[in-house]
Amino acid sequence: MHTHLITVAELQALRAAGARLMVFDCSFDLMNPAAGEEQYRQAHIPGAVYAHLDHHLSDKMAPDATGQYQPHPDAASGGRHPLPSRQRFATWLSSVGFANDMQAVVYDRQGVNYCGRLWWMLKWAGHDAVAVLDGGLQAWQAAGGEVTSGVEASHFQSNFTLGPPLRRLATTADVAAGLAAGARQTVIDARAAPRFRGEVEPLDPVAGHIPGALNRPFGLNVGADGRFKPAADLRAEFEALLAGRDAATVVHHCGSGVSAVPNVMAMELAGYPPAALYAGSWSEWCRDPTLPVEKG
């Protein structure tokens, strides 16, 4: 069972052995939501299922009169990419034929920015056998891996059964409570430094960050080859960032709960226990005028 990363060679071996697995292509572009699916249609690993961030991995109703998307009443978080309820997510997994006895392999071509979302959601659904293809589609193609184009045939529906969550979801109330005097909480923000400091804000109505948060842009976790850095390097970097703070108190977030996941995974690769994810993230936090905001 692969639970964090899988190499191209390991995936090729599983496929050659006829293992029970499903590969998911999670390619996406925030500024052009149709681009990821078009990339998938142009080239993907044969048999891969396309997982669309907006349609499959988020739970948004139609926009309201102001043009803002609102989460469904049963969504597990708010923000720009509301986390679907576990049951709604299980229904989608069943619709694409994913079953509890399968190994899941997720990838994108954007430096783990989007496939990490599905990795975390499967853990949250109680499914441990999910791994990120290290290096993404680029690594697969560089190793001579076969790709195909177009749309894959539909799979027979399965009956995916939820298990106890294997990762912790933090809510806005949880994070707000963690700001209280004497509370033990360390928020790590995965957004780019200018957004974190509040110098620019291209996506959300308020600039800044959660008071006391630390900044670690998600791209710092991968090397020039698109693969995660060695565990020892990640450990040293997180130790420097935490500067003595208890890793067990960490809550990860970003703009909308997507690009924070590479930080979640990197800490686990570095040997830390799983940390919480605040899926609503800045896009949920900043829309509540009662919550504090910090800049700089």
mmCIF file of all heavy atoms in Angstrom, residues 32-78:
data_model
loop_
_atom_site.group_PDB
_atom_site.id
_atom_site.type_symbol
_atom_site.label_atom_id
_atom_site.label_comp_id
_atom_site.label_asym_id
_atom_site.label_seq_id
_atom_site.Cartn_x
_atom_site.Cartn_y
_atom_site.Cartn_z
ATOM 1 N N ASN A 32 -8.216 29.874 -15.059
ATOM 2 C CA ASN A 32 -8.918 29.361 -16.237
ATOM 3 C C ASN A 32 -9.437 27.969 -15.901
ATOM 4 O O ASN A 32 -8.820 26.960 -16.255
ATOM 5 C CB ASN A 32 -7.993 29.323 -17.452
ATOM 6 C CG ASN A 32 -8.699 28.844 -18.711
ATOM 7 O OD1 ASN A 32 -9.914 28.647 -18.719
ATOM 8 N ND2 ASN A 32 -7.947 28.634 -19.769
ATOM 9 N N PRO A 33 -10.568 27.883 -15.191
ATOM 10 C CA PRO A 33 -11.050 26.605 -14.677
ATOM 11 C C PRO A 33 -11.280 25.519 -15.726
ATOM 12 O O PRO A 33 -11.327 24.337 -15.384
ATOM 13 C CB PRO A 33 -12.358 26.973 -13.982
ATOM 14 C CG PRO A 33 -12.180 28.402 -13.593
ATOM 15 C CD PRO A 33 -11.407 29.010 -14.722
ATOM 16 N N ALA A 34 -11.404 25.893 -16.997
ATOM 17 C CA ALA A 34 -11.605 24.880 -18.037
ATOM 18 C C ALA A 34 -10.295 24.297 -18.541
ATOM 19 O O ALA A 34 -10.298 23.272 -19.241
ATOM 20 C CB ALA A 34 -12.376 25.485 -19.210
ATOM 21 N N ALA A 35 -9.179 24.924 -18.188
ATOM 22 C CA ALA A 35 -7.893 24.529 -18.761
ATOM 23 C C ALA A 35 -7.452 23.130 -18.336
ATOM 24 O O ALA A 35 -6.881 22.382 -19.139
ATOM 25 C CB ALA A 35 -6.822 25.548 -18.391
ATOM 26 N N GLY A 36 -7.690 22.771 -17.083
ATOM 27 C CA GLY A 36 -7.225 21.476 -16.599
ATOM 28 C C GLY A 36 -7.872 20.312 -17.327
ATOM 29 O O GLY A 36 -7.192 19.343 -17.700
ATOM 30 N N GLU A 37 -9.163 20.402 -17.536
ATOM 31 C CA GLU A 37 -9.854 19.324 -18.251
ATOM 32 C C GLU A 37 -9.391 19.251 -19.698
ATOM 33 O O GLU A 37 -9.271 18.157 -20.267
ATOM 34 C CB GLU A 37 -11.361 19.520 -18.190
ATOM 35 C CG GLU A 37 -12.143 18.327 -18.712
ATOM 36 C CD GLU A 37 -13.609 18.386 -18.350
ATOM 37 O OE1 GLU A 37 -14.084 19.431 -17.854
ATOM 38 O OE2 GLU A 37 -14.293 17.363 -18.547
ATOM 39 N N GLU A 38 -9.089 20.399 -20.289
ATOM 40 C CA GLU A 38 -8.571 20.402 -21.651
ATOM 41 C C GLU A 38 -7.187 19.764 -21.697
ATOM 42 O O GLU A 38 -6.875 19.001 -22.617
ATOM 43 C CB GLU A 38 -8.511 21.836 -22.194
ATOM 44 C CG GLU A 38 -7.972 21.939 -23.613
ATOM 45 C CD GLU A 38 -8.749 21.108 -24.629
ATOM 46 O OE1 GLU A 38 -9.974 20.937 -24.463
ATOM 47 O OE2 GLU A 38 -8.112 20.616 -25.582
ATOM 48 N N GLN A 39 -6.351 20.034 -20.696
ATOM 49 C CA GLN A 39 -5.045 19.380 -20.616
ATOM 50 C C GLN A 39 -5.213 17.872 -20.501
ATOM 51 O O GLN A 39 -4.472 17.103 -21.125
ATOM 52 C CB GLN A 39 -4.262 19.926 -19.413
ATOM 53 C CG GLN A 39 -3.806 21.362 -19.577
ATOM 54 C CD GLN A 39 -3.156 21.899 -18.315
ATOM 55 O OE1 GLN A 39 -3.412 21.427 -17.203
ATOM 56 N NE2 GLN A 39 -2.307 22.911 -18.472
ATOM 57 N N TYR A 40 -6.168 17.456 -19.687
ATOM 58 C CA TYR A 40 -6.457 16.026 -19.545
ATOM 59 C C TYR A 40 -6.854 15.420 -20.888
ATOM 60 O O TYR A 40 -6.381 14.335 -21.257
ATOM 61 C CB TYR A 40 -7.569 15.834 -18.525
ATOM 62 C CG TYR A 40 -8.166 14.443 -18.492
ATOM 63 C CD1 TYR A 40 -7.551 13.413 -17.806
ATOM 64 C CD2 TYR A 40 -9.372 14.172 -19.163
ATOM 65 C CE1 TYR A 40 -8.100 12.137 -17.778
ATOM 66 C CE2 TYR A 40 -9.932 12.906 -19.138
ATOM 67 C CZ TYR A 40 -9.292 11.888 -18.448
ATOM 68 O OH TYR A 40 -9.835 10.628 -18.437
ATOM 69 N N ARG A 41 -7.713 16.088 -21.618
ATOM 70 C CA ARG A 41 -8.161 15.567 -22.913
ATOM 71 C C ARG A 41 -6.999 15.468 -23.908
ATOM 72 O O ARG A 41 -6.980 14.578 -24.758
ATOM 73 C CB ARG A 41 -9.268 16.450 -23.487
ATOM 74 C CG ARG A 41 -10.595 16.350 -22.741
ATOM 75 C CD ARG A 41 -11.598 17.363 -23.262
ATOM 76 N NE ARG A 41 -12.853 17.339 -22.529
ATOM 77 C CZ ARG A 41 -13.894 16.572 -22.836
ATOM 78 N NH1 ARG A 41 -13.823 15.764 -23.881
ATOM 79 N NH2 ARG A 41 -14.997 16.616 -22.117
ATOM 80 N N GLN A 42 -6.037 16.351 -23.777
ATOM 81 C CA GLN A 42 -4.895 16.334 -24.694
ATOM 82 C C GLN A 42 -3.915 15.209 -24.365
ATOM 83 O O GLN A 42 -3.371 14.580 -25.275
ATOM 84 C CB GLN A 42 -4.172 17.678 -24.647
ATOM 85 C CG GLN A 42 -4.968 18.832 -25.251
ATOM 86 C CD GLN A 42 -4.286 20.167 -25.065
ATOM 87 O OE1 GLN A 42 -3.198 20.256 -24.485
ATOM 88 N NE2 GLN A 42 -4.915 21.231 -25.535
ATOM 89 N N ALA A 43 -3.705 14.952 -23.064
ATOM 90 C CA ALA A 43 -2.747 13.904 -22.674
ATOM 91 C C ALA A 43 -2.953 13.525 -21.214
ATOM 92 O O ALA A 43 -2.956 14.397 -20.339
ATOM 93 C CB ALA A 43 -1.316 14.391 -22.889
ATOM 94 N N HIS A 44 -3.139 12.239 -20.975
ATOM 95 C CA HIS A 44 -3.233 11.740 -19.608
ATOM 96 C C HIS A 44 -2.771 10.297 -19.559
ATOM 97 O O HIS A 44 -2.661 9.630 -20.591
ATOM 98 C CB HIS A 44 -4.660 11.872 -19.059
ATOM 99 C CG HIS A 44 -5.686 11.110 -19.842
ATOM 100 N ND1 HIS A 44 -6.444 11.680 -20.847
ATOM 101 C CD2 HIS A 44 -6.101 9.812 -19.779
ATOM 102 C CE1 HIS A 44 -7.263 10.782 -21.360
ATOM 103 N NE2 HIS A 44 -7.072 9.635 -20.720
ATOM 104 N N ILE A 45 -2.496 9.814 -18.366
ATOM 105 C CA ILE A 45 -2.120 8.414 -18.189
ATOM 106 C C ILE A 45 -3.323 7.549 -18.571
ATOM 107 O O ILE A 45 -4.453 7.824 -18.134
ATOM 108 C CB ILE A 45 -1.693 8.153 -16.733
ATOM 109 C CG1 ILE A 45 -0.406 8.934 -16.416
ATOM 110 C CG2 ILE A 45 -1.475 6.653 -16.493
ATOM 111 C CD1 ILE A 45 0.029 8.838 -14.966
ATOM 112 N N PRO A 46 -3.123 6.531 -19.405
ATOM 113 C CA PRO A 46 -4.262 5.714 -19.845
ATOM 114 C C PRO A 46 -5.096 5.189 -18.672
ATOM 115 O O PRO A 46 -4.557 4.670 -17.695
ATOM 116 C CB PRO A 46 -3.584 4.566 -20.604
ATOM 117 C CG PRO A 46 -2.323 5.176 -21.136
ATOM 118 C CD PRO A 46 -1.861 6.112 -20.049
ATOM 119 N N GLY A 47 -6.388 5.357 -18.785
ATOM 120 C CA GLY A 47 -7.311 4.896 -17.750
ATOM 121 C C GLY A 47 -7.579 5.901 -16.648
ATOM 122 O O GLY A 47 -8.459 5.676 -15.808
ATOM 123 N N ALA A 48 -6.841 7.014 -16.626
ATOM 124 C CA ALA A 48 -7.004 7.989 -15.546
ATOM 125 C C ALA A 48 -8.386 8.630 -15.590
ATOM 126 O O ALA A 48 -8.927 8.925 -16.659
ATOM 127 C CB ALA A 48 -5.919 9.059 -15.628
ATOM 128 N N VAL A 49 -8.935 8.860 -14.414
ATOM 129 C CA VAL A 49 -10.204 9.565 -14.246
ATOM 130 C C VAL A 49 -9.894 11.029 -13.985
ATOM 131 O O VAL A 49 -9.003 11.349 -13.197
ATOM 132 C CB VAL A 49 -10.998 8.972 -13.064
ATOM 133 C CG1 VAL A 49 -12.226 9.828 -12.729
ATOM 134 C CG2 VAL A 49 -11.401 7.539 -13.364
ATOM 135 N N TYR A 50 -10.632 11.928 -14.633
ATOM 136 C CA TYR A 50 -10.387 13.345 -14.380
ATOM 137 C C TYR A 50 -11.193 13.808 -13.168
ATOM 138 O O TYR A 50 -12.405 13.594 -13.093
ATOM 139 C CB TYR A 50 -10.757 14.209 -15.590
ATOM 140 C CG TYR A 50 -10.428 15.670 -15.340
ATOM 141 C CD1 TYR A 50 -9.107 16.069 -15.141
ATOM 142 C CD2 TYR A 50 -11.435 16.624 -15.237
ATOM 143 C CE1 TYR A 50 -8.798 17.389 -14.865
ATOM 144 C CE2 TYR A 50 -11.128 17.956 -14.964
ATOM 145 C CZ TYR A 50 -9.800 18.326 -14.785
ATOM 146 O OH TYR A 50 -9.479 19.633 -14.502
ATOM 147 N N ALA A 51 -10.505 14.448 -12.214
ATOM 148 C CA ALA A 51 -11.140 14.995 -11.014
ATOM 149 C C ALA A 51 -11.051 16.515 -11.085
ATOM 150 O O ALA A 51 -9.976 17.093 -10.952
ATOM 151 C CB ALA A 51 -10.440 14.477 -9.757
ATOM 152 N N HIS A 52 -12.173 17.152 -11.319
ATOM 153 C CA HIS A 52 -12.243 18.603 -11.495
ATOM 154 C C HIS A 52 -12.360 19.278 -10.128
ATOM 155 O O HIS A 52 -13.247 18.946 -9.336
ATOM 156 C CB HIS A 52 -13.455 18.941 -12.360
ATOM 157 C CG HIS A 52 -13.468 20.328 -12.905
ATOM 158 N ND1 HIS A 52 -13.644 21.441 -12.114
ATOM 159 C CD2 HIS A 52 -13.337 20.790 -14.180
ATOM 160 C CE1 HIS A 52 -13.629 22.531 -12.866
ATOM 161 N NE2 HIS A 52 -13.448 22.165 -14.121
ATOM 162 N N LEU A 53 -11.464 20.229 -9.847
ATOM 163 C CA LEU A 53 -11.468 20.880 -8.546
ATOM 164 C C LEU A 53 -12.811 21.520 -8.227
ATOM 165 O O LEU A 53 -13.341 21.373 -7.122
ATOM 166 C CB LEU A 53 -10.360 21.944 -8.483
ATOM 167 C CG LEU A 53 -10.323 22.800 -7.210
ATOM 168 C CD1 LEU A 53 -10.095 21.940 -5.977
ATOM 169 C CD2 LEU A 53 -9.260 23.889 -7.319
ATOM 170 N N ASP A 54 -13.384 22.244 -9.171
ATOM 171 C CA ASP A 54 -14.638 22.947 -8.913
ATOM 172 C C ASP A 54 -15.845 22.014 -8.872
ATOM 173 O O ASP A 54 -16.753 22.199 -8.049
ATOM 174 C CB ASP A 54 -14.882 24.015 -9.986
ATOM 175 C CG ASP A 54 -14.043 25.259 -9.771
ATOM 176 O OD1 ASP A 54 -13.436 25.402 -8.690
ATOM 177 O OD2 ASP A 54 -13.977 26.088 -10.694
ATOM 178 N N HIS A 55 -15.867 21.007 -9.735
ATOM 179 C CA HIS A 55 -17.062 20.186 -9.890
ATOM 180 C C HIS A 55 -17.081 18.940 -9.014
ATOM 181 O O HIS A 55 -18.158 18.494 -8.586
ATOM 182 C CB HIS A 55 -17.218 19.754 -11.351
ATOM 183 C CG HIS A 55 -17.319 20.907 -12.298
ATOM 184 N ND1 HIS A 55 -17.017 20.808 -13.633
ATOM 185 C CD2 HIS A 55 -17.679 22.203 -12.092
ATOM 186 C CE1 HIS A 55 -17.182 21.981 -14.210
ATOM 187 N NE2 HIS A 55 -17.584 22.841 -13.293
ATOM 188 N N HIS A 56 -15.908 18.352 -8.765
ATOM 189 C CA HIS A 56 -15.855 17.078 -8.047
ATOM 190 C C HIS A 56 -15.248 17.189 -6.650
ATOM 191 O O HIS A 56 -15.626 16.425 -5.757
ATOM 192 C CB HIS A 56 -15.043 16.051 -8.852
ATOM 193 C CG HIS A 56 -15.525 15.872 -10.251
ATOM 194 N ND1 HIS A 56 -14.673 15.801 -11.343
ATOM 195 C CD2 HIS A 56 -16.785 15.778 -10.745
ATOM 196 C CE1 HIS A 56 -15.388 15.662 -12.443
ATOM 197 N NE2 HIS A 56 -16.668 15.646 -12.116
ATOM 198 N N LEU A 57 -14.318 18.105 -6.475
ATOM 199 C CA LEU A 57 -13.587 18.204 -5.207
ATOM 200 C C LEU A 57 -14.005 19.421 -4.396
ATOM 201 O O LEU A 57 -13.402 19.735 -3.375
ATOM 202 C CB LEU A 57 -12.072 18.233 -5.472
ATOM 203 C CG LEU A 57 -11.537 17.089 -6.355
ATOM 204 C CD1 LEU A 57 -10.025 17.194 -6.499
ATOM 205 C CD2 LEU A 57 -11.937 15.726 -5.800
ATOM 206 N N SER A 58 -15.019 20.130 -4.857
ATOM 207 C CA SER A 58 -15.600 21.260 -4.134
ATOM 208 C C SER A 58 -17.119 21.127 -4.202
ATOM 209 O O SER A 58 -17.652 20.388 -5.025
ATOM 210 C CB SER A 58 -15.165 22.597 -4.745
ATOM 211 O OG SER A 58 -13.751 22.732 -4.732
ATOM 212 N N ASP A 59 -17.805 21.880 -3.358
ATOM 213 C CA ASP A 59 -19.253 21.747 -3.246
ATOM 214 C C ASP A 59 -19.884 23.133 -3.316
ATOM 215 O O ASP A 59 -20.205 23.734 -2.298
ATOM 216 C CB ASP A 59 -19.603 21.058 -1.934
ATOM 217 C CG ASP A 59 -21.060 20.610 -1.892
ATOM 218 O OD1 ASP A 59 -21.782 20.866 -2.873
ATOM 219 O OD2 ASP A 59 -21.456 20.011 -0.888
ATOM 220 N N LYS A 60 -20.036 23.643 -4.533
ATOM 221 C CA LYS A 60 -20.544 24.998 -4.712
ATOM 222 C C LYS A 60 -21.883 24.998 -5.434
ATOM 223 O O LYS A 60 -22.065 24.299 -6.426
ATOM 224 C CB LYS A 60 -19.542 25.849 -5.502
ATOM 225 C CG LYS A 60 -18.212 26.027 -4.789
ATOM 226 C CD LYS A 60 -17.330 27.047 -5.464
ATOM 227 C CE LYS A 60 -16.749 26.589 -6.761
ATOM 228 N NZ LYS A 60 -15.713 27.505 -7.268
ATOM 229 N N MET A 61 -22.802 25.798 -4.936
ATOM 230 C CA MET A 61 -24.062 26.011 -5.625
ATOM 231 C C MET A 61 -23.857 27.072 -6.706
ATOM 232 O O MET A 61 -22.776 27.641 -6.840
ATOM 233 C CB MET A 61 -25.128 26.478 -4.634
ATOM 234 C CG MET A 61 -25.469 25.456 -3.556
ATOM 235 S SD MET A 61 -26.920 25.906 -2.578
ATOM 236 C CE MET A 61 -26.347 27.353 -1.715
ATOM 237 N N ALA A 62 -24.884 27.344 -7.462
ATOM 238 C CA ALA A 62 -24.815 28.393 -8.481
ATOM 239 C C ALA A 62 -24.559 29.738 -7.810
ATOM 240 O O ALA A 62 -24.896 29.945 -6.639
ATOM 241 C CB ALA A 62 -26.112 28.434 -9.267
ATOM 242 N N PRO A 63 -23.950 30.691 -8.522
ATOM 243 C CA PRO A 63 -23.667 31.996 -7.919
ATOM 244 C C PRO A 63 -24.945 32.735 -7.542
ATOM 245 O O PRO A 63 -25.977 32.607 -8.207
ATOM 246 C CB PRO A 63 -22.901 32.737 -9.021
ATOM 247 C CG PRO A 63 -23.252 32.025 -10.293
ATOM 248 C CD PRO A 63 -23.464 30.603 -9.909
ATOM 249 N N ASP A 64 -24.862 33.527 -6.450
ATOM 250 C CA ASP A 64 -26.017 34.290 -6.005
ATOM 251 C C ASP A 64 -26.115 35.603 -6.781
ATOM 252 O O ASP A 64 -25.417 35.813 -7.772
ATOM 253 C CB ASP A 64 -25.945 34.528 -4.492
ATOM 254 C CG ASP A 64 -24.701 35.313 -4.083
ATOM 255 O OD1 ASP A 64 -24.097 35.982 -4.952
ATOM 256 O OD2 ASP A 64 -24.341 35.257 -2.900
ATOM 257 N N ALA A 65 -26.974 36.504 -6.328
ATOM 258 C CA ALA A 65 -27.216 37.756 -7.048
ATOM 259 C C ALA A 65 -25.972 38.626 -7.138
ATOM 260 O O ALA A 65 -25.849 39.453 -8.041
ATOM 261 C CB ALA A 65 -28.352 38.519 -6.379
ATOM 262 N N THR A 66 -25.039 38.455 -6.205
ATOM 263 C CA THR A 66 -23.804 39.249 -6.222
ATOM 264 C C THR A 66 -22.701 38.583 -7.030
ATOM 265 O O THR A 66 -21.606 39.113 -7.141
ATOM 266 C CB THR A 66 -23.299 39.479 -4.793
ATOM 267 O OG1 THR A 66 -22.864 38.218 -4.237
ATOM 268 C CG2 THR A 66 -24.382 40.076 -3.914
ATOM 269 N N GLY A 67 -22.989 37.389 -7.579
ATOM 270 C CA GLY A 67 -21.975 36.668 -8.345
ATOM 271 C C GLY A 67 -21.096 35.775 -7.505
ATOM 272 O O GLY A 67 -20.179 35.131 -8.015
ATOM 273 N N GLN A 68 -21.367 35.697 -6.186
ATOM 274 C CA GLN A 68 -20.564 34.883 -5.288
ATOM 275 C C GLN A 68 -21.147 33.475 -5.173
ATOM 276 O O GLN A 68 -22.353 33.298 -5.058
ATOM 277 C CB GLN A 68 -20.511 35.521 -3.896
ATOM 278 C CG GLN A 68 -19.817 36.869 -3.866
ATOM 279 C CD GLN A 68 -18.360 36.771 -4.244
ATOM 280 O OE1 GLN A 68 -17.632 35.913 -3.751
ATOM 281 N NE2 GLN A 68 -17.923 37.643 -5.140
ATOM 282 N N TYR A 69 -20.245 32.475 -5.214
ATOM 283 C CA TYR A 69 -20.678 31.099 -5.012
ATOM 284 C C TYR A 69 -20.836 30.836 -3.516
ATOM 285 O O TYR A 69 -20.014 31.274 -2.707
ATOM 286 C CB TYR A 69 -19.653 30.121 -5.598
ATOM 287 C CG TYR A 69 -19.695 30.026 -7.097
ATOM 288 C CD1 TYR A 69 -18.940 30.892 -7.891
ATOM 289 C CD2 TYR A 69 -20.483 29.087 -7.735
ATOM 290 C CE1 TYR A 69 -18.969 30.814 -9.277
ATOM 291 C CE2 TYR A 69 -20.532 28.993 -9.112
ATOM 292 C CZ TYR A 69 -19.771 29.857 -9.879
ATOM 293 O OH TYR A 69 -19.806 29.781 -11.247
ATOM 294 N N GLN A 70 -21.870 30.128 -3.171
ATOM 295 C CA GLN A 70 -22.117 29.766 -1.784
ATOM 296 C C GLN A 70 -22.067 28.250 -1.648
ATOM 297 O O GLN A 70 -22.469 27.525 -2.565
ATOM 298 C CB GLN A 70 -23.485 30.278 -1.325
ATOM 299 C CG GLN A 70 -23.651 31.787 -1.448
ATOM 300 C CD GLN A 70 -22.707 32.558 -0.565
ATOM 301 O OE1 GLN A 70 -22.321 32.077 0.498
ATOM 302 N NE2 GLN A 70 -22.339 33.764 -0.980
ATOM 303 N N PRO A 71 -21.577 27.740 -0.521
ATOM 304 C CA PRO A 71 -21.558 26.280 -0.346
ATOM 305 C C PRO A 71 -22.946 25.719 -0.137
ATOM 306 O O PRO A 71 -23.859 26.414 0.314
ATOM 307 C CB PRO A 71 -20.694 26.099 0.915
ATOM 308 C CG PRO A 71 -20.840 27.387 1.661
ATOM 309 C CD PRO A 71 -20.985 28.453 0.611
ATOM 310 N N HIS A 72 -23.122 24.438 -0.487
ATOM 311 C CA HIS A 72 -24.360 23.751 -0.160
ATOM 312 C C HIS A 72 -24.519 23.712 1.362
ATOM 313 O O HIS A 72 -23.529 23.776 2.105
ATOM 314 C CB HIS A 72 -24.333 22.318 -0.702
ATOM 315 C CG HIS A 72 -24.641 22.227 -2.165
ATOM 316 N ND1 HIS A 72 -23.667 22.143 -3.121
ATOM 317 C CD2 HIS A 72 -25.820 22.214 -2.832
ATOM 318 C CE1 HIS A 72 -24.226 22.084 -4.320
ATOM 319 N NE2 HIS A 72 -25.524 22.118 -4.179
ATOM 320 N N PRO A 73 -25.740 23.588 1.841
ATOM 321 C CA PRO A 73 -25.957 23.571 3.298
ATOM 322 C C PRO A 73 -25.182 22.471 4.016
ATOM 323 O O PRO A 73 -24.857 22.622 5.190
ATOM 324 C CB PRO A 73 -27.474 23.358 3.418
ATOM 325 C CG PRO A 73 -28.028 23.904 2.141
ATOM 326 C CD PRO A 73 -27.006 23.588 1.086
ATOM 327 N N ASP A 74 -24.913 21.354 3.327
ATOM 328 C CA ASP A 74 -24.222 20.254 3.995
ATOM 329 C C ASP A 74 -22.711 20.272 3.757
ATOM 330 O O ASP A 74 -22.003 19.336 4.141
ATOM 331 C CB ASP A 74 -24.803 18.907 3.575
ATOM 332 C CG ASP A 74 -24.532 18.575 2.102
ATOM 333 O OD1 ASP A 74 -24.136 19.493 1.346
ATOM 334 O OD2 ASP A 74 -24.715 17.403 1.718
ATOM 335 N N ALA A 75 -22.181 21.326 3.121
ATOM 336 C CA ALA A 75 -20.744 21.390 2.860
ATOM 337 C C ALA A 75 -19.972 21.388 4.170
ATOM 338 O O ALA A 75 -20.432 21.904 5.194
ATOM 339 C CB ALA A 75 -20.409 22.631 2.048
ATOM 340 N N ALA A 76 -18.769 20.813 4.137
ATOM 341 C CA ALA A 76 -17.962 20.691 5.353
ATOM 342 C C ALA A 76 -17.148 21.935 5.647
ATOM 343 O O ALA A 76 -16.535 22.038 6.717
ATOM 344 C CB ALA A 76 -17.034 19.480 5.234
ATOM 345 N N SER A 77 -17.078 22.873 4.701
ATOM 346 C CA SER A 77 -16.383 24.137 4.932
ATOM 347 C C SER A 77 -16.976 25.197 4.035
ATOM 348 O O SER A 77 -17.774 24.908 3.134
ATOM 349 C CB SER A 77 -14.877 23.996 4.646
ATOM 350 O OG SER A 77 -14.622 24.028 3.243
ATOM 351 N N GLY A 78 -16.568 26.446 4.262
ATOM 352 C CA GLY A 78 -16.927 27.540 3.372
ATOM 353 C C GLY A 78 -15.743 27.867 2.484
ATOM 354 O O GLY A 78 -14.939 27.010 2.154
#
